[in-house]
Amino acid sequence: QAVVTQEPSLTVSPGGTVTLTCGSTTGAVISGLYPYWFQQKPGQAPRTLIYDTSNKHSWTPARFSGSLLGGKAALTLSGAQPEDEAEYYCALYYSSAWVFGGGTKLTVL
Amino acid sequence: EVQLVQSGAEVKKPGESLKISCKGSGYSFTTYWIAWVRQMPGKGLEWMGIIDPGDSNTRYSPSFQGQVTMSADKSINTAYLQWSSLKASDTAMYYCARSYGGFWGQGTLVTVSS
């Protein structure tokens, strides 16, 4: 079974740009794995920011974008805000099963 | 507006049974599979399995196969997750989520304690 990898923690300055990545131990992440990105703040349910690599929901702030980068899925935050401090999870879709990454704790400092 | 509304928090004793629910609205409930996700205290997200509300076809993660049962009643747009004999290690938040687009329920906290 694939293991999905994420950076355990990242720090970004307010107004800065940061890229979170999502890799797979089975090889390159491709669009056919339909990468998802979720944001979770303490005490809240996860919220989907990005689905199918780069599609946004109506509630996804414009400063978030999804892409494929160097064999991984990537979530780029441009112009970080204090309210973006959260845990971010990615998930890849293998044979009708989501496999979640371990999450990235993003600090805005 | 797509919504998934889950049943309320539960406190149970080890060995008891439990069934929690997830009611969908704002879309055709039988079109998309419903996933169940566990989050233990202070931990990450774990995919438990998925159910097709149209025909109740299920796929379980090997980690949860035989430990839980997923079901659905398409007449009332509701999916269920049930345990026949709870353990203390089942204490967690449980989320349902629509498979496409990633719409999440608000979560159901299950506490199992003697």
Side-chain angles (χ1 to χ4, degrees):
Chain A
Q1 166 143 347
V3 174
V4 176
T5 60
Q6 297 184 247
E7 299 86 0
S9 63
L10 290 169
T11 300
V12 62
S13 300
T17 296
V18 65
T19 296
L20 290 65
T21 68
C22 177
S24 172
T25 55
T26 62
V29 174
I30 58 174
S31 58
L33 294 177
Y34 307 103
Y36 277 64
W37 289 96
F38 311 102
Q39 179 192 62
Q40 188 177 35
K41 296 181 179 179
Q44 296 183 16
R47 180 175 74 151
T48 301
L49 294 178
I50 300 288
Y51 63 101
D52 290 359
T53 304
S54 58
N55 292 320
K56 298 182 184 184
H57 280 294
S58 58
W59 56 77
T60 305
R63 59 186 179 273
F64 288 96
S65 63
S67 65
L68 296 177
L69 195 64
K72 296 183 178 183
L75 176 71
T76 299
L77 170 58
S78 303
Q81 301 297 310
E83 61 264 31
D84 299 327
E85 185 160 299
E87 191 84 24
Y88 291 83
Y89 295 93
C90 71
L92 302 177
Y93 213 58
Y94 288 92
S95 301
S96 301
W98 275 343
V99 180
F100 290 100
T104 296
K105 169 65 177 169
L106 181 66
T107 300
V108 180
L109 189 62
Chain B
E1 178 194 8
V2 175
Q3 280 196 311
L4 294 173
V5 178
Q6 298 185 231
S7 50
E10 302 274 2
V11 180
K12 292 289 189 178
K13 290 181 167 39
E16 291 185 332
S17 63
L18 175 64
K19 192 174 189 177
I20 63 174
S21 66
C22 168
K23 183 174 176 62
S25 62
Y27 72 101
S28 175
F29 190 65
T30 56
T31 299
Y32 303 101
W33 293 57
I34 293 288
W36 286 95
V37 176
R38 183 176 78 174
Q39 188 168 38
M40 299 179 78
K43 302 298 185 183
L45 304 173
E46 300 175 87
W47 185 84
M48 301 176 69
I50 200 164
I51 183 165
D52 180 345
D55 62 8
S56 292
N57 186 21
T58 54
R59 296 177 190 171
Y60 293 92
S61 161
S63 299
F64 293 93
Q65 180 81 48
Q67 308 304 307
V68 296
T69 302
M70 296 174 193
S71 60
D73 185 341
K74 62 184 178 181
S75 70
I76 55 171
N77 290 358
T78 301
Y80 301 96
L81 179 67
Q82 68 181 88
W83 295 258
S84 59
S85 180
L86 286 159
K87 302 184 284 286
S89 57
D90 293 318
T91 295
M93 185 71 83
Y94 292 88
Y95 297 102
C96 64
R98 199 182 84 170
S99 58
Y100 184 72
F103 295 89
W104 292 74
Q106 82 277 19
T108 296
L109 179 62
V110 174
T111 303
V112 184
S113 174
S114 54

